Amino acid sequence: MRRRVAATAKPNPAHIALATLEQKLQERLFLCTQNVDDLHEQAGSKRVIHMHGELFKSRCDRCSRPPFHDTNTYDPSAELPRCDCGGRIRPHICWFGEVPFELDRIFRSLDECSIFMAVGTSGVVEPAASFVAHVSSRARTIYVGAEEPANASAFTECLIGKAGEILPALLPT
Ligand SMILES: [Zn+2]
């Protein structure tokens, strides 16, 4: 169901502003998302860290075969698809209780960052909600989103409004 819904979604001006920023900053921009859709990639971003996985990838729950591109929609009443090894094919998504992906890389980048921006996140789901606290002693920290996040007091600035309107105005084009 989620794949069917996401397949029709299109990037908004915030995704495009971040892709443009990556073209300027290259590897000096570290873009990490909690979103599992591919809208950043559709907008042109090349180096996206999907800490909660990717909706259009699947993986085997048993063998070390790497996650693979998968746009199939599966009939929930049918048997689960199987890998050649006999393991079950599952979404490459971080489910509740599982450890998010790439945390080592994420914390290395947090240790190096001078400007930290969080966009459109609730400030509730850990570990992402604590990233701002991890950098706040030395980085300028900015929140952009429609509603004040639960961790608003940890930010230097909170810009409340639609990310699709604020980011294109805030970021150089
Ligand atoms: Zn397998």
Side-chain angles (χ1 to χ4, degrees), residues 3 17 23 36 48 54 56 59 67 88 91 109 114 122 126 133 140 149 157 164 173:
R3 280 181 180 164
Q23 282 172 14
V36 297
V48 186
E54 293 174 74
F56 292 108
R59 71 174 192 264
R88 293 170 300 182
S109 287
S114 54
S122 63
E126 295 293 351
R140 182 177 168 201
E157 296 168 67
T173 55

Side-chain angles (χ1 to χ4, degrees), residues 90-111:
R90 56 161 285 174
H92 185 50
I93 298 280
C94 176
W95 285 328
F96 281 103
E98 295 180 336
V99 178
F101 302 105
E102 307 268 20
L103 286 180
D104 289 350
R105 258 173 97 185
I106 292 168
F107 277 97
R108 271 203 307 279
S109 287
L110 289 171
D111 285 340

Side-chain angles (χ1 to χ4, degrees), residues 5-127:
V5 172
T8 63
K10 292 283 169 238
N12 67 37
H15 295 104
I16 292 163
L18 287 167
T20 306
L21 185 66
E22 184 190 71
Q23 282 172 14
K24 292 195 178 312
L25 298 182
Q26 299 291 321
E27 62 282 350
R28 289 168 55 219
L29 174 72
F30 184 85
L31 178 57
C32 167
T33 182
Q34 295 171 283
N35 296 342
V36 297
D37 59 49
D38 62 354
L39 296 180
H40 285 297
E41 286 87 350
Q42 281 191 45
S45 288
K46 305 284 184 220
R47 287 182 293 267
V48 186
I49 305 295
H50 285 272
M51 64 180 292
H52 289 163
E54 293 174 74
L55 185 59
F56 292 108
K57 285 186 179 175
S58 295
R59 71 174 192 264
C60 176
D61 73 353
R62 186 187 295 173
C63 72
S64 58
R65 170 188 180 182
F68 56 93
H69 186 69
D70 187 2
T71 56
N72 289 317
T73 52
Y74 296 100
D75 175 359
S77 63
E79 277 214 25
L80 287 171
R82 295 271 173 182
C83 177
D84 291 344
C85 79
R88 293 170 300 182
I89 298 297
R90 56 161 285 174
H92 185 50
I93 298 280
C94 176
W95 285 328
F96 281 103
E98 295 180 336
V99 178
F101 302 105
E102 307 268 20
L103 286 180
D104 289 350
R105 258 173 97 185
I106 292 168
F107 277 97
R108 271 203 307 279
S109 287
L110 289 171
D111 285 340
E112 293 171 354
C113 93
S114 54
I115 300 176
F116 173 90
M117 184 182 292
V119 180
T121 181
S122 63
V124 173
V125 177
E126 295 293 351

